[in-house]
Amino acid sequence: MKRFAQLIKILDSTNKTNTKVDALSAYFQAADDRDKVWTIAILSHRRPPRPVNTTLLRSWASEHANIPLWLFEESYHIVGDLAETIALVLPSPRSRTEKTLTQFLEEMISLKTKPEEEKRSYLIENWKDLDYYERFVFTKLITGGFRIGISQKLMTRALARATQMDEDVLAYKLMGNWDPGSISFTDLVLKENESDYLSKPYPFYLAYAMEGKAEDLGDVTQWSAEHKWDGIRAQLILRNSEIFVWSRGEELVTDKYPEFQEFVGRIPNGTVLDGEILPYPNGGIGSFNELQTRIGRKTISKALLAKTPVILKVYDLLEWEGKDIRGKSFLERRTLLETLCKNLTVEKDPLHQPLTHLQLSQTMRFNSWEAVAREREQAREAKSEGLMLKHWDSPYRVGRKKGDWWKWKVDPLTIDAVLTYAMRGHGRRSNLFTDYTFALWSETETGERELVTFAKAYSGLTDAEFRQVDAWIKKNTLERFGPVRSVVPQHVFEIAFEGIALSKRHKSGVATRFPRILRWRQDKKIADANSLEDLRALIPSEEKEFANNKNR
């Protein structure tokens, strides 16, 4: 545990990539093999379930620190991080622990089923034996919120240096459904395991956002354009007459999409497809808001399947006839994919019904970048976020690489809204109010206007602007609700967002996708801010029609 805490201290204290890689590489060379596995798991978001809720943590920490809970809460609001607050307020350790990272994690896993008093004793006894950074790490693991600014790519690079293995091979090995509590470092990293191959996906290739002008990419005929679909990026794997569906977040979600079982026996074994899971109600692409009704559900009922069916909009082929074809050009892969999809039609396969949950994403060729730009402007009508531009010669790479794949999203939707609530930020902004809630005008039954909240945003301003707004908030607070402050409605901000849909879960009746601050409209008074009607007018007419039909 000491070695792991020291590693986290180094990683948390620098923004330099090389320093982080050096620290991780040294750790992977020196640490116990079981601790290495757990470190890989933690840094790739395979954390054990949280055994204690944060309410109890705050209560027990304030008790052990011998301070009133209100003072602990005020400290927490200032510090902005629960684990750091606990590490700061607790008394000095009485002794030092010799337990390993693995021992701690195994204890935490078993702690989840223990009675509350036993959990309290466990936490306090261990807090007594840990120094500041060890307490910080220990509590982070307990809360399940371990985020330390290390990407899986960076961690894999360090592991490759420590083991002298190929980085791409390691990226492949670390994907899939493995359990850090039972797998050894040798089996996970060093050993070739043929049985692991059956369900393992490939690392996803990710596009960069367009930089500069599209014309800078050169000859337009060397590029494929296709719509950028707003769903869940997924790989669908068919091997040994079994199907596996993996999300980009490396989560096995096969059971969430039983519709795809129709592919077994129709799509040949040894096939891996890359595509987007999209909601498909009433025979058309729905909104991401509709897809969210299926995300996180433990069971998918027949009613939910009927209400929000899905399709896989497939756009790439990564494995064919059991062979990894990622090294082939995009043109070659697409040709094979189109042949596969054509052979799945009833005309080619008359003994079967058509596959109702698989669609091929169309690729488009253009003779000018002006024509590409015009297609991009029509993206929302096609229910997409914009265009994907892929060079016909490009292989399927690992991770985010510049050059061959670009995403050219449509300009965001915007609305002018009024700042009404604020919370402190996190990390380096934990001493500033930077998390804001915004409202729009709505007319009451008596004809008066009132502000109704519709979105939260915490990015888009410069550091200087955040400091300026923070100073104003502290002087213009109306009420406090724990960490939240309501403020005098005075400032207008232009809010940008990617998508919009009707929603019964929001007071405004509308949900926005990826809201963020575009600019501070100091030239506008709050009377000039937009209304909820203005916001609803941005919802596509077919979305409104679908919602109306659903409510009848």
PDB file of all heavy atoms in Angstrom, residues 64-65 86-96 124 126-132 135:
ATOM      1  N   HIS A  64     -14.275  10.692  14.316  1.00  0.00           N
ATOM      2  CA  HIS A  64     -12.899  10.308  14.631  1.00  0.00           C
ATOM      3  C   HIS A  64     -11.990  11.534  14.750  1.00  0.00           C
ATOM      4  O   HIS A  64     -11.043  11.549  15.545  1.00  0.00           O
ATOM      5  CB  HIS A  64     -12.372   9.362  13.551  1.00  0.00           C
ATOM      6  CG  HIS A  64     -10.983   8.859  13.792  1.00  0.00           C
ATOM      7  ND1 HIS A  64     -10.568   8.377  15.012  1.00  0.00           N
ATOM      8  CD2 HIS A  64      -9.900   8.774  12.964  1.00  0.00           C
ATOM      9  CE1 HIS A  64      -9.305   8.004  14.938  1.00  0.00           C
ATOM     10  NE2 HIS A  64      -8.874   8.251  13.711  1.00  0.00           N
ATOM     11  N   ALA A  65     -12.298  12.569  13.977  1.00  0.00           N
ATOM     12  CA  ALA A  65     -11.508  13.802  14.037  1.00  0.00           C
ATOM     13  C   ALA A  65     -11.900  14.675  15.229  1.00  0.00           C
ATOM     14  O   ALA A  65     -11.251  15.690  15.502  1.00  0.00           O
ATOM     15  CB  ALA A  65     -11.681  14.591  12.747  1.00  0.00           C
ATOM     16  N   ILE A  86     -11.005  14.095   4.390  1.00  0.00           N
ATOM     17  CA  ILE A  86     -10.819  13.120   5.462  1.00  0.00           C
ATOM     18  C   ILE A  86      -9.345  12.980   5.824  1.00  0.00           C
ATOM     19  O   ILE A  86      -8.972  12.952   7.003  1.00  0.00           O
ATOM     20  CB  ILE A  86     -11.431  11.761   5.063  1.00  0.00           C
ATOM     21  CG1 ILE A  86     -12.967  11.873   5.026  1.00  0.00           C
ATOM     22  CG2 ILE A  86     -10.993  10.656   6.019  1.00  0.00           C
ATOM     23  CD1 ILE A  86     -13.673  10.639   4.483  1.00  0.00           C
ATOM     24  N   ALA A  87      -8.498  12.900   4.805  1.00  0.00           N
ATOM     25  CA  ALA A  87      -7.057  12.760   5.057  1.00  0.00           C
ATOM     26  C   ALA A  87      -6.503  13.967   5.815  1.00  0.00           C
ATOM     27  O   ALA A  87      -5.590  13.830   6.630  1.00  0.00           O
ATOM     28  CB  ALA A  87      -6.319  12.590   3.735  1.00  0.00           C
ATOM     29  N   LEU A  88      -7.076  15.146   5.594  1.00  0.00           N
ATOM     30  CA  LEU A  88      -6.586  16.367   6.238  1.00  0.00           C
ATOM     31  C   LEU A  88      -7.056  16.512   7.684  1.00  0.00           C
ATOM     32  O   LEU A  88      -6.299  16.980   8.548  1.00  0.00           O
ATOM     33  CB  LEU A  88      -7.036  17.594   5.433  1.00  0.00           C
ATOM     34  CG  LEU A  88      -6.325  17.829   4.094  1.00  0.00           C
ATOM     35  CD1 LEU A  88      -7.071  18.873   3.275  1.00  0.00           C
ATOM     36  CD2 LEU A  88      -4.882  18.271   4.332  1.00  0.00           C
ATOM     37  N   VAL A  89      -8.309  16.128   7.967  1.00  0.00           N
ATOM     38  CA  VAL A  89      -8.864  16.416   9.302  1.00  0.00           C
ATOM     39  C   VAL A  89      -8.547  15.341  10.344  1.00  0.00           C
ATOM     40  O   VAL A  89      -8.623  15.613  11.543  1.00  0.00           O
ATOM     41  CB  VAL A  89     -10.405  16.619   9.232  1.00  0.00           C
ATOM     42  CG1 VAL A  89     -10.759  17.738   8.278  1.00  0.00           C
ATOM     43  CG2 VAL A  89     -11.138  15.332   8.863  1.00  0.00           C
ATOM     44  N   LEU A  90      -8.211  14.139   9.925  1.00  0.00           N
ATOM     45  CA  LEU A  90      -7.973  13.057  10.897  1.00  0.00           C
ATOM     46  C   LEU A  90      -6.684  13.292  11.672  1.00  0.00           C
ATOM     47  O   LEU A  90      -5.729  13.880  11.156  1.00  0.00           O
ATOM     48  CB  LEU A  90      -7.918  11.704  10.187  1.00  0.00           C
ATOM     49  CG  LEU A  90      -9.217  11.227   9.510  1.00  0.00           C
ATOM     50  CD1 LEU A  90      -9.023   9.843   8.941  1.00  0.00           C
ATOM     51  CD2 LEU A  90     -10.391  11.245  10.486  1.00  0.00           C
ATOM     52  N   PRO A  91      -6.625  12.825  12.917  1.00  0.00           N
ATOM     53  CA  PRO A  91      -5.393  12.986  13.721  1.00  0.00           C
ATOM     54  C   PRO A  91      -4.238  12.176  13.145  1.00  0.00           C
ATOM     55  O   PRO A  91      -4.424  11.282  12.320  1.00  0.00           O
ATOM     56  CB  PRO A  91      -5.806  12.463  15.095  1.00  0.00           C
ATOM     57  CG  PRO A  91      -6.991  11.578  14.846  1.00  0.00           C
ATOM     58  CD  PRO A  91      -7.703  12.164  13.670  1.00  0.00           C
ATOM     59  N   SER A  92      -3.034  12.488  13.590  1.00  0.00           N
ATOM     60  CA  SER A  92      -1.831  11.808  13.099  1.00  0.00           C
ATOM     61  C   SER A  92      -1.917  10.310  13.370  1.00  0.00           C
ATOM     62  O   SER A  92      -2.513   9.883  14.366  1.00  0.00           O
ATOM     63  CB  SER A  92      -0.589  12.379  13.783  1.00  0.00           C
ATOM     64  OG  SER A  92      -0.472  13.758  13.502  1.00  0.00           O
ATOM     65  N   PRO A  93      -1.312   9.490  12.527  1.00  0.00           N
ATOM     66  CA  PRO A  93      -1.400   8.029  12.701  1.00  0.00           C
ATOM     67  C   PRO A  93      -0.672   7.586  13.964  1.00  0.00           C
ATOM     68  O   PRO A  93       0.323   8.170  14.373  1.00  0.00           O
ATOM     69  CB  PRO A  93      -0.731   7.487  11.432  1.00  0.00           C
ATOM     70  CG  PRO A  93       0.146   8.588  10.945  1.00  0.00           C
ATOM     71  CD  PRO A  93      -0.545   9.859  11.313  1.00  0.00           C
ATOM     72  N   ARG A  94      -1.199   6.507  14.555  1.00  0.00           N
ATOM     73  CA  ARG A  94      -0.583   5.961  15.773  1.00  0.00           C
ATOM     74  C   ARG A  94       0.548   5.013  15.428  1.00  0.00           C
ATOM     75  O   ARG A  94       1.468   4.789  16.208  1.00  0.00           O
ATOM     76  CB  ARG A  94      -1.644   5.236  16.600  1.00  0.00           C
ATOM     77  CG  ARG A  94      -2.217   4.029  15.872  1.00  0.00           C
ATOM     78  CD  ARG A  94      -3.323   3.318  16.587  1.00  0.00           C
ATOM     79  NE  ARG A  94      -3.790   2.179  15.791  1.00  0.00           N
ATOM     80  CZ  ARG A  94      -4.832   1.447  16.123  1.00  0.00           C
ATOM     81  NH1 ARG A  94      -5.533   1.713  17.212  1.00  0.00           N
ATOM     82  NH2 ARG A  94      -5.199   0.433  15.353  1.00  0.00           N
ATOM     83  N   SER A  95       0.441   4.379  14.237  1.00  0.00           N
ATOM     84  CA  SER A  95       1.452   3.417  13.779  1.00  0.00           C
ATOM     85  C   SER A  95       1.372   3.369  12.255  1.00  0.00           C
ATOM     86  O   SER A  95       0.626   4.119  11.640  1.00  0.00           O
ATOM     87  CB  SER A  95       1.202   2.032  14.393  1.00  0.00           C
ATOM     88  OG  SER A  95      -0.093   1.570  14.030  1.00  0.00           O
ATOM     89  N   ARG A  96       2.139   2.471  11.655  1.00  0.00           N
ATOM     90  CA  ARG A  96       2.146   2.357  10.197  1.00  0.00           C
ATOM     91  C   ARG A  96       1.779   0.947   9.778  1.00  0.00           C
ATOM     92  O   ARG A  96       2.252  -0.032  10.351  1.00  0.00           O
ATOM     93  CB  ARG A  96       3.534   2.718   9.625  1.00  0.00           C
ATOM     94  CG  ARG A  96       3.943   4.152   9.880  1.00  0.00           C
ATOM     95  CD  ARG A  96       3.008   5.156   9.207  1.00  0.00           C
ATOM     96  NE  ARG A  96       2.952   4.951   7.766  1.00  0.00           N
ATOM     97  CZ  ARG A  96       3.862   5.445   6.916  1.00  0.00           C
ATOM     98  NH1 ARG A  96       4.878   6.151   7.372  1.00  0.00           N
ATOM     99  NH2 ARG A  96       3.732   5.228   5.621  1.00  0.00           N
ATOM    100  N   ILE A 124     -12.160   3.200  10.925  1.00  0.00           N
ATOM    101  CA  ILE A 124     -11.429   3.965  11.946  1.00  0.00           C
ATOM    102  C   ILE A 124     -10.101   3.300  12.285  1.00  0.00           C
ATOM    103  O   ILE A 124      -9.064   3.969  12.403  1.00  0.00           O
ATOM    104  CB  ILE A 124     -12.304   4.159  13.194  1.00  0.00           C
ATOM    105  CG1 ILE A 124     -13.469   5.101  12.862  1.00  0.00           C
ATOM    106  CG2 ILE A 124     -11.476   4.715  14.357  1.00  0.00           C
ATOM    107  CD1 ILE A 124     -14.472   5.290  13.983  1.00  0.00           C
ATOM    108  N   ASN A 126      -8.244   1.425  10.403  1.00  0.00           N
ATOM    109  CA  ASN A 126      -7.283   1.592   9.304  1.00  0.00           C
ATOM    110  C   ASN A 126      -6.854   3.043   9.142  1.00  0.00           C
ATOM    111  O   ASN A 126      -5.698   3.311   8.813  1.00  0.00           O
ATOM    112  CB  ASN A 126      -7.874   1.044   8.004  1.00  0.00           C
ATOM    113  CG  ASN A 126      -7.773  -0.458   7.918  1.00  0.00           C
ATOM    114  OD1 ASN A 126      -6.711  -1.015   7.695  1.00  0.00           O
ATOM    115  ND2 ASN A 126      -8.889  -1.143   8.155  1.00  0.00           N
ATOM    116  N   TRP A 127      -7.767   3.998   9.347  1.00  0.00           N
ATOM    117  CA  TRP A 127      -7.374   5.411   9.304  1.00  0.00           C
ATOM    118  C   TRP A 127      -6.266   5.703  10.320  1.00  0.00           C
ATOM    119  O   TRP A 127      -5.378   6.519  10.074  1.00  0.00           O
ATOM    120  CB  TRP A 127      -8.578   6.306   9.603  1.00  0.00           C
ATOM    121  CG  TRP A 127      -9.481   6.526   8.424  1.00  0.00           C
ATOM    122  CD1 TRP A 127      -9.149   6.462   7.110  1.00  0.00           C
ATOM    123  CD2 TRP A 127     -10.887   6.839   8.459  1.00  0.00           C
ATOM    124  NE1 TRP A 127     -10.248   6.717   6.307  1.00  0.00           N
ATOM    125  CE2 TRP A 127     -11.326   6.957   7.113  1.00  0.00           C
ATOM    126  CE3 TRP A 127     -11.810   7.035   9.490  1.00  0.00           C
ATOM    127  CZ2 TRP A 127     -12.650   7.270   6.781  1.00  0.00           C
ATOM    128  CZ3 TRP A 127     -13.123   7.347   9.164  1.00  0.00           C
ATOM    129  CH2 TRP A 127     -13.539   7.455   7.823  1.00  0.00           C
ATOM    130  N   LYS A 128      -6.310   5.005  11.464  1.00  0.00           N
ATOM    131  CA  LYS A 128      -5.308   5.235  12.518  1.00  0.00           C
ATOM    132  C   LYS A 128      -3.909   4.792  12.100  1.00  0.00           C
ATOM    133  O   LYS A 128      -2.915   5.252  12.671  1.00  0.00           O
ATOM    134  CB  LYS A 128      -5.715   4.490  13.790  1.00  0.00           C
ATOM    135  CG  LYS A 128      -6.919   5.081  14.510  1.00  0.00           C
ATOM    136  CD  LYS A 128      -7.272   4.236  15.728  1.00  0.00           C
ATOM    137  CE  LYS A 128      -8.471   4.811  16.467  1.00  0.00           C
ATOM    138  NZ  LYS A 128      -8.855   3.957  17.635  1.00  0.00           N
ATOM    139  N   ASP A 129      -3.841   3.865  11.125  1.00  0.00           N
ATOM    140  CA  ASP A 129      -2.548   3.284  10.743  1.00  0.00           C
ATOM    141  C   ASP A 129      -2.013   3.810   9.408  1.00  0.00           C
ATOM    142  O   ASP A 129      -1.052   3.261   8.874  1.00  0.00           O
ATOM    143  CB  ASP A 129      -2.665   1.760  10.660  1.00  0.00           C
ATOM    144  CG  ASP A 129      -2.930   1.123  12.014  1.00  0.00           C
ATOM    145  OD1 ASP A 129      -2.628   1.776  13.034  1.00  0.00           O
ATOM    146  OD2 ASP A 129      -3.434  -0.008  12.044  1.00  0.00           O
ATOM    147  N   LEU A 130      -2.632   4.858   8.872  1.00  0.00           N
ATOM    148  CA  LEU A 130      -2.235   5.355   7.551  1.00  0.00           C
ATOM    149  C   LEU A 130      -1.819   6.813   7.638  1.00  0.00           C
ATOM    150  O   LEU A 130      -2.431   7.616   8.353  1.00  0.00           O
ATOM    151  CB  LEU A 130      -3.402   5.220   6.568  1.00  0.00           C
ATOM    152  CG  LEU A 130      -3.935   3.804   6.318  1.00  0.00           C
ATOM    153  CD1 LEU A 130      -5.241   3.860   5.536  1.00  0.00           C
ATOM    154  CD2 LEU A 130      -2.905   2.963   5.577  1.00  0.00           C
ATOM    155  N   ASP A 131      -0.772   7.174   6.874  1.00  0.00           N
ATOM    156  CA  ASP A 131      -0.386   8.581   6.821  1.00  0.00           C
ATOM    157  C   ASP A 131      -1.303   9.329   5.847  1.00  0.00           C
ATOM    158  O   ASP A 131      -2.242   8.748   5.298  1.00  0.00           O
ATOM    159  CB  ASP A 131       1.096   8.734   6.441  1.00  0.00           C
ATOM    160  CG  ASP A 131       1.414   8.274   5.020  1.00  0.00           C
ATOM    161  OD1 ASP A 131       0.473   8.113   4.208  1.00  0.00           O
ATOM    162  OD2 ASP A 131       2.600   8.078   4.712  1.00  0.00           O
ATOM    163  N   TYR A 132      -1.026  10.607   5.628  1.00  0.00           N
ATOM    164  CA  TYR A 132      -1.941  11.437   4.846  1.00  0.00           C
ATOM    165  C   TYR A 132      -2.244  10.845   3.476  1.00  0.00           C
ATOM    166  O   TYR A 132      -3.413  10.651   3.117  1.00  0.00           O
ATOM    167  CB  TYR A 132      -1.369  12.848   4.659  1.00  0.00           C
ATOM    168  CG  TYR A 132      -2.097  13.628   3.585  1.00  0.00           C
ATOM    169  CD1 TYR A 132      -3.348  14.183   3.827  1.00  0.00           C
ATOM    170  CD2 TYR A 132      -1.562  13.735   2.303  1.00  0.00           C
ATOM    171  CE1 TYR A 132      -4.040  14.859   2.830  1.00  0.00           C
ATOM    172  CE2 TYR A 132      -2.246  14.410   1.305  1.00  0.00           C
ATOM    173  CZ  TYR A 132      -3.479  14.968   1.573  1.00  0.00           C
ATOM    174  OH  TYR A 132      -4.167  15.620   0.581  1.00  0.00           O
ATOM    175  N   ARG A 135      -4.085   7.482   3.581  1.00  0.00           N
ATOM    176  CA  ARG A 135      -5.495   7.693   3.916  1.00  0.00           C
ATOM    177  C   ARG A 135      -6.276   8.185   2.702  1.00  0.00           C
ATOM    178  O   ARG A 135      -7.404   7.759   2.455  1.00  0.00           O
ATOM    179  CB  ARG A 135      -5.628   8.734   5.019  1.00  0.00           C
ATOM    180  CG  ARG A 135      -5.286   8.256   6.395  1.00  0.00           C
ATOM    181  CD  ARG A 135      -5.338   9.436   7.342  1.00  0.00           C
ATOM    182  NE  ARG A 135      -4.994   9.055   8.703  1.00  0.00           N
ATOM    183  CZ  ARG A 135      -4.692   9.933   9.653  1.00  0.00           C
ATOM    184  NH1 ARG A 135      -4.704  11.221   9.381  1.00  0.00           N
ATOM    185  NH2 ARG A 135      -4.405   9.513  10.870  1.00  0.00           N
TER     186      ARG A 135
END
